[in-house]
Structures are given as C-alpha cells and as structure tokens.
Amino acid sequence: MAAGLTRAGAAALRAAAPGGPVRWERTNFAGRTVELYVGPAAVLAAALGAARVRPAAAGAVLAAGVCGAYDDLVGAGDPRRGFRAHLGALRRGRSPAGPSSWAGSARRGCWPGPC
C-alpha cells in the first residue's frame, strides 16, 4: 500500500510540481541531477500507514518529513553536499541545514508519548 501511494504521489507532484520543476531538482554531491518528488510522497504514505497502527508514530514520520523538507529547501544553495560534508562543517563550527534537520527528527522521535 505505501509503495503504491508513494508512486502515485510522486507522479502527481512530477506532473504539477509546485513552484516548477527547478524547485524540485538538485545536483547531488556526485554532480548528478536528482528529483525531490519521492520524499514528500514517501513521507505521506509512511505516515498514513503508521497512523493505522500507532497514531503517535505517524506524527514522528511527519515531523521527520518536515525536517527533511527544511534541509532540502534551506540547504539548496549550500555547496556542501553529502553526509561527509555536513559532518565536516559541524567539525568547523558551522551548522548546515542537514544536521539541524537530523536533530529535529531525532527530537520528535524521542518525545515522550504512547508510540
């Protein structure tokens, strides 16, 4: 079910990308163009699936998705790409968007509540 919802959501976003395709494409650390359509679609599908079993888990999935979107949007102009580059920036005392989104995702997952 989640795979089908993800595929349908990604196709819908690709067909009518809010803000145009430029907003939904990035060049990764290897210099390849990647699309960001699947991320929001997968988050929504996973949250719907999680809500059927544990509603609190759906909240954690959505929070992680919001943090991932923050990383994609705020970090779009950041030349540091990839996990290694994010960690290197942290070692130098800089705070790129990626680790900020990781911390937000982890914080939501650790909130007390019935998960």
Side-chain angles (χ1 to χ4, degrees):
M1 180 174 106
L5 287 172
T6 299
R7 183 173 282 203
L13 279 172
R14 193 175 286 116
V22 173
R23 184 175 194 141
W24 293 86
E25 294 177 355
R26 299 283 185 276
T27 302
N28 70 5
F29 67 95
R32 295 187 198 119
T33 299
V34 295
E35 297 177 337
L36 306 177
Y37 303 111
V38 176
V43 166
L44 187 57
L48 289 171
R52 295 179 61 181
V53 180
R54 301 224 185 233
V61 169
L62 290 173
V66 167
C67 291
Y70 169 80
D71 181 26
D72 288 342
L73 295 174
V74 173
D78 194 338
R80 299 169 294 217
R81 300 278 189 222
F83 190 73
R84 186 180 308 163
H86 283 316
L87 292 178
L90 283 175
R91 277 194 303 272
R92 290 187 299 281
R94 298 190 189 109
S95 180
S100 300
S101 72
W102 304 335
S105 297
R107 175 65 184 113
R108 175 56 182 106
C110 296
W111 275 346
C115 283

